[in-house]
Amino acid sequence: MTSSSPAATARAVPAAPPAAPAVAPSTPAHDVGLLLLRVVLGLTMAAHGSQKLFGWFGGGGISGTGKFFTASGYPAGDTMAVIAGLTETLGGLGLVAGLLTPLAGAAVVGTMINAMAVHGAGSFFAPQGIEYEILLTTGAAALALTGPGRYAADRFLPVLRGHRLAHGALAVALGAVIAGVLLLVRN
């Protein structure tokens, strides 16, 4: 009968460490930070969209915003006002709720790319600058890429429950491509 010696036991290969979880658990601070970013950015965009759609908060409504779009070189100004208003409002509300966050973020990214093109690059800072648009675009892209955090409706959607970087990257790319197409039809 053979018995294992202490030297043989010492040479045994140690057990592999347990595999890391596919998605790192988030901390409450992380989730509250994402919630704060989503709510502020989302409500800002939803309010901006409601200016276009309904004339709320001193906005021009569809007619006034349509005239702005026409003067900015877009065809069918009123239609563009509706599209921009819906995109901003629904994208913003989607961010607030954390619902379809990659697509909601992409909607804001696409809208803000067009806003930067219309506003121009006169300078970085206001009143002729684009720092506001850059901040909104970057915040929306960051949310699309990172996911909404634990306090979001996406947690109940199987495909988005464990947010994947690929979903966010594809959504942001889609928003940029659609924004580019709209810029191509602009005079």
Side-chain angles (χ1 to χ4, degrees):
M1 200 165 167
T2 15
S3 65
S4 60
S5 68
T9 306
R11 283 180 281 176
V13 177
V23 176
S26 59
T27 65
H30 175 245
D31 294 322
V32 169
L34 287 172
L35 175 64
L36 177 65
L37 177 59
R38 284 190 359 250
V39 168
V40 171
L41 196 148
L43 288 178
T44 299
M45 289 308 302
H48 199 67
S50 69
Q51 287 182 304
K52 291 175 177 63
L53 292 174
F54 312 115
W56 296 349
F57 310 113
I62 292 173
S63 177
T65 304
K67 289 175 185 168
F68 170 79
F69 273 106
T70 300
S72 298
Y74 289 93
D78 286 353
T79 301
M80 292 303 298
V82 170
I83 291 170
L86 286 172
T87 302
E88 291 174 359
T89 302
L90 297 177
L93 293 176
L95 288 177
V96 170
L99 179 62
L100 302 173
T101 305
L103 292 176
V108 173
V109 167
T111 301
M112 290 295 99
I113 288 172
N114 272 269
M116 285 186 274
V118 168
H119 200 128
S123 70
F124 182 74
F125 296 105
Q128 301 299 320
I130 57 171
E131 82 278 5
Y132 175 69
E133 292 87 352
I134 288 174
L135 183 62
L136 292 172
T137 304
T138 305
L143 286 168
L145 295 170
T146 62
R150 196 176 347 200
Y151 310 121
D154 282 354
R155 291 199 63 209
F156 302 104
L157 301 175
V159 72
L160 294 174
R161 190 174 298 135
H163 181 78
R164 292 169 181 83
L165 177 61
H167 292 141
L170 286 172
V172 169
L174 176 66
V177 167
I178 292 172
V181 168
L182 285 174
L183 287 172
L184 289 175
V185 301
R186 185 174 165 232
N187 295 331

